[in-house]
Each structure stands twice: as structure tokens, then as C-alpha cells.
Amino acid sequence: MKQSSLPGETLGQKFWNAVGQRSKQVALRQKLFGVWDEITWTEYGAHARRIGMGLAALGLQPGDCVSILANTRREWTYCDFGAMLAGLVVSGVYPTDSAEQLEFLCADSHSKILIVEDDEQLDKALQVRERLPALVKIIVIDMEGLRDLNDPQIISLQALEALGQSHDEQHPALFESRLNSRHADDVAILVYTSGTTGKPKGAMLSHRNLRAVMENFPVQLPQGPEDDKMSFLPLCHIAERMFGSMLSLERGSRMNFVENPDT
């Protein structure tokens, strides 16, 4: 039985409609130094919009691919939906993958932007970037330990958001144009197989494909704005992506990001 009341042909449109409908409701929480920090849908949308417009400012066009190499945290979802707001395709990379695996995935997906979590993940990117000619920029979420870094190809997520804010103000019609640039049968995300029988293969999942699960989720497992979910599995895996962020988008349930799975 179809439960959805959230309109939108694409996940980007669904996300933006959710921001408009839910505004001050809490979308997600992340534990920082033992305290839950709450993010409303309005704040969630603002981060995603700035990121999407920042990616547009870097020259990415609808259908271009962005890869995310990070542990499960709120910035992962900001970047995921931000990219989709700008009409981009998102490919997740396991944080445990080696530099060689990262190189293969970025090359195979033709990623133009790589978003990494911190200095540890950045090191992997730096080992292989010379063999990734399509790569335009590397975005770093957590710049701790990298304050003195001076590399024209690398910027912080904070700087990307500032760029997006400025680009949005200078091109007021661009956001709506990018939001409506993709359609139901266009690819939304790439999910790579484990590669146990050869090179990993990227499953191309369309907006229609993802919506079919989101909108027809079993009524035996209801969830809504009063429900909380703990998110700790890798977001590059379709299970956490769907049962975590995408169903929270569809039904309005709150995602909670743990400090680490052990605690």
C-alpha cells in the first residue's frame, strides 16, 4: 500500500519539498562530545542547498558524478542530498577501502568531485589523484590537522558551502533550474558491488527505482516524525542509505548519528 504524501519526481525534489513542509521539525541529531546536537529540516536544507550550489559553481553539470568517502555522519547526508539538488549523481565509497580501490571507483564512475572525511581519507586521495584526470576538486569535511594545507585542488566543506552561498546569490534562478534538471528515469546514485568475483560493478539506481522502495515501504514497519532511528552502518551501502536517510526523508523520522558504533 502506497503511504507517501511527499511529492517529487526526483529525490532532490522530494528533499526540497520535505524541507518546505517540515521546516522546524528535527531531521537528524549527531552526538558531539556526549551531547545530542539537533538539526532541523530548515537547517538540513540550507546545508544541502549551499553544497549543491557550490558544486555547480565548481562547474559540475547535471548528470556528473560526485564520490563520498566518509564514515556515517550528518555531513554525508548533507553532501548526498546537496548533490542531488544540483542534479548530480552520487557514488559512495567505503571508508575502509584502500587507495587503489578508491582510484578504481572514482575512475569507473568518472567522478569530478571527491568528498573525503579527514586527513586519513585525504591521504588515500592524494596517493592516486594524478591518475584521475577527471577529478576537479577534493572536498574535506573535517579539516583538523590540515589548517596549514595549501593545495589549489583541495578545499574544505565549509569553503564549499561559502562558495555555494555566494553563487546562489549571484545566480538566483539557477537553483530551481538545477532542481528540475533530472527526471524519474535518470540515475540518482551508484552503488558498487563488493568485487569478490572481479572488479566492482556500479549498480545504476534511478530516482524511480529508489522512490519505488521509499513510497511502498511495508505498512508493517511504520515510521514517522515521532520516531527515532540510530544510524551507524556505512551510508555507501544501500541498506543504510535506504532504511536510514531515504526512508527518513520519505516519512519524516529522525536520524541519530552515533559517536562510534562501539558506544
Side-chain angles (χ1 to χ4, degrees), residues 6-152:
L6 186 63
E9 183 181 6
T10 67
L11 268 68
Q13 291 167 354
K14 275 183 172 288
F15 178 83
W16 200 242
N17 284 328
V19 170
Q21 286 183 15
R22 298 170 188 158
S23 60
K24 299 305 179 183
Q25 291 179 28
V26 175
L28 50 88
R29 302 190 302 167
Q30 183 159 303
K31 216 167 193 182
L32 302 173
F33 306 109
V35 179
W36 287 110
D37 185 35
E38 296 185 341
I39 298 295
T40 66
W41 278 95
T42 295
E43 293 167 322
Y44 196 4
H47 280 292
R49 178 168 178 157
R50 289 192 295 263
I51 288 168
M53 293 300 286
L55 294 170
L58 292 176
L60 271 70
Q61 298 299 315
D64 285 345
C65 188
V66 174
S67 284
I68 304 175
L69 170 60
N71 284 290
T72 299
R73 54 189 292 166
R74 58 188 178 186
E75 291 87 356
W76 213 112
T77 61
Y78 297 167
C79 295
D80 192 19
F81 288 118
M84 285 192 271
L85 286 176
L88 307 174
V89 175
V90 182
S91 177
V93 182
Y94 281 98
T96 53
D97 278 356
S98 67
E100 291 72 24
Q101 289 169 311
L102 173 64
E103 178 188 354
F104 174 81
L105 296 175
C106 286
D108 190 70
S109 62
H110 304 288
S111 290
K112 293 189 174 181
I113 295 289
L114 172 61
I115 299 170
V116 302
E117 182 170 16
D118 52 21
D119 55 349
E120 178 184 352
Q121 302 296 0
L122 177 62
D123 284 343
K124 298 176 187 177
L126 295 180
Q127 290 177 47
V128 300
R129 65 171 169 177
E130 290 183 357
R131 298 191 291 277
L132 295 170
L135 198 61
V136 175
K137 289 281 186 187
I138 301 171
I139 315 296
V140 183
I141 295 171
D142 183 354
M143 290 292 289
E144 185 176 357
L146 297 170
R147 297 298 178 188
D148 297 326
L149 180 68
N150 184 17
D151 187 313

Side-chain angles (χ1 to χ4, degrees), residues 183-244:
H183 301 286
D185 291 320
D186 289 325
V187 176
I189 67 173
L190 295 175
V191 178
Y192 276 86
T193 61
S194 60
T196 53
T197 59
K199 291 291 187 183
K201 299 172 181 64
M204 298 182 289
L205 304 183
S206 69
H207 294 275
R208 188 186 303 278
N209 178 302
L210 298 170
R211 278 177 45 207
V213 180
M214 294 164 65
E215 296 172 0
N216 297 282
F217 192 65
V219 294
Q220 294 88 345
L221 294 170
Q223 56 182 278
E226 300 306 314
D227 295 315
D228 284 284
K229 296 187 294 187
M230 184 173 69
S231 185
F232 65 94
L233 295 172
L235 272 164
C236 55
H237 193 286
I238 192 60
E240 185 66 73
R241 196 85 155 276
M242 177 55 69
F243 293 108

